[in-house]
Amino acid sequence: MKRIVYIVALMVVALGACSDNEMTGAELKSASLLAVDIDGSTSVELNELKAALVGEETELSDEEMAGLLWMREEEKLAGDLYQTFNDLYDWRIFGNISRSESTHVAAVLTLFDLFGIEDESPEEVGVFANADIQKLFDELKASGEVSLVEALKVGAYVEELDILDLEERLEETNNADIQLVYENLLRGSRNHLRAFTRVLAQNNVYYQPLILSDDYFNEIVEGEMERGSQNGNCALGYGYANRNGNNNRAQYNSGDCEGDPQNGVGGQQKRYRGGN
């Protein structure tokens, strides 16, 4: 009898502890929006994402529409490049992150379905509807074909570019569903940047950021891998960037980048070379 009372008492204590830390339905959804592998490859859990979307009918602004079309092909660019480099070098990180990028594309296409947007991006690897992205892909592919190290540097550069573009697109929308997708893609990009730079470091190569400021870059790569979340802004706590200058979208090159990070008003770090 005493043993039964003891077990019941333990159950009460355990249930009380759970109650004190009870998660809301939204938190339960958000806890599993991303799946992060041991190497940092980060995939979107599409079923959980669809369940978390608000799905309200809305008319998209021109900026929101342009942002979705751009990010759809930029995510494809990343996946196609990594697939190409995996075929060339048979290096695990490219295969794993390429598969993750396919879920990033699918996450954007979930928004296409939600808002009734026609997807005009070709399925063929390395072929794009947007001429600027096509040109960028061709340049990055050529750079990565030089050597495995250059391909890894291209991977890090692409993730820098993703971070910049996703933060820019987040500034242009108040739509909760678009924000949800972009915020989690942003976490994925930061994880992939960590993954590529760590593999480079393991091979005694230090990656010099070409787009992010040194401070912002170091804050990212020295941080822990991020899991998916439905709520909150930037995991690093700076808020989204507000760029007014040259954002260094220029052609990728493997040389060092000039320019030192500067502090903005109120001590907020400057996130981008030539911008804020």
Side-chain angles (χ1 to χ4, degrees):
M1 181 66 178
K2 290 182 178 179
R3 184 176 181 181
I4 294 175
V5 171
Y6 177 71
I7 292 174
V8 171
L10 286 177
M11 291 175 65
V12 170
V13 171
L15 288 172
C18 291
S19 177
D20 290 340
N21 297 284
E22 185 176 359
M23 296 177 69
T24 66
E27 289 171 333
L28 287 169
K29 291 177 187 175
S30 68
S32 58
L33 289 183
L34 297 178
V36 183
D37 207 342
I38 191 169
D39 63 356
S41 55
T42 303
S43 300
V44 178
E45 299 282 15
L46 296 172
N47 289 334
E48 285 77 3
L49 173 65
K50 292 175 183 178
L53 294 176
V54 176
E56 292 182 354
E57 292 186 9
T58 185
E59 183 175 347
L60 299 181
S61 68
D62 291 342
E63 290 80 8
E64 288 170 330
M65 179 68 75
L68 288 170
L69 293 172
W70 181 270
M71 292 313 306
R72 187 270 184 264
E73 289 220 302
E74 187 168 298
E75 296 296 343
K76 180 182 187 298
L77 174 143
D80 287 2
L81 278 173
Y82 305 155
Q83 180 179 333
T84 299
F85 295 155
N86 185 60
D87 292 342
L88 181 60
Y89 298 112
D90 192 24
W91 206 255
R92 184 190 309 176
I93 191 172
F94 290 123
N96 288 351
I97 296 185
S98 174
R99 285 187 288 274
S100 293
E101 293 292 348
S102 69
T103 70
H104 296 196
V105 170
V108 178
L109 290 177
T110 298
L111 295 176
F112 275 43
D113 292 340
L114 182 63
F115 299 123
I117 303 171
E118 182 179 357
D119 180 23
E120 298 182 353
S121 184
E123 293 185 8
E124 183 180 352
V125 173
V127 180
F128 301 88
N130 185 293
D132 291 332
I133 291 183
Q134 182 68 64
K135 182 175 183 290
L136 180 61
F137 175 88
D138 294 340
E139 292 171 348
L140 295 174
K141 177 175 177 288
S143 295
E145 288 173 339
V146 171
S147 68
L148 173 59
V149 167
E150 290 306 310
L152 291 166
K153 288 181 180 180
V154 168
Y157 172 81
V158 168
E159 300 305 333
E160 281 194 89
L161 184 62
D162 266 358
I163 291 169
L164 180 143
D165 284 338
L166 284 164
E167 291 192 340
E168 184 176 71
R169 304 306 179 184
L170 275 162
E171 290 181 346
E172 298 172 347
T173 183
N174 292 316
N175 183 280
D177 290 330
I178 297 177
Q179 289 174 337
L180 176 61
V181 171
Y182 285 177
E183 286 167 358
N184 283 282
L185 294 183
L186 185 54
R187 293 181 179 93
S189 292
R190 289 193 293 257
N191 284 349
H192 290 172
L193 178 59
R194 295 179 180 108
F196 281 121
T197 55
R198 289 175 187 181
V199 171
L200 283 165
Q202 290 166 4
N203 289 275
N204 299 314
V205 178
Y206 174 74
Y207 176 76
Q208 174 66 43
L210 302 176
I211 297 175
L212 306 181
S213 72
D214 287 341
D215 283 351
Y216 187 28
F217 171 80
N218 290 332
E219 187 77 20
I220 292 173
V221 299
E222 292 171 5
E224 298 296 326
M225 292 294 178
E226 300 171 63
R227 268 61 184 176
S229 174
Q230 182 170 349
N231 300 312
N233 292 332
C234 179
L236 300 177
Y238 297 125
Y240 297 120
N242 180 16
R243 288 170 294 286
N244 298 311
N246 174 19
N247 295 320
N248 205 19
R249 293 171 181 263
Q251 176 180 348
Y252 168 84
N253 66 77
S254 58
D256 290 341
C257 219
E258 295 182 355
D260 296 323
Q262 301 177 24
N263 290 327
V265 177
Q268 182 176 354
Q269 282 183 324
K270 199 167 186 179
R271 287 184 149 200
Y272 300 97
R273 299 171 186 273
N276 290 334

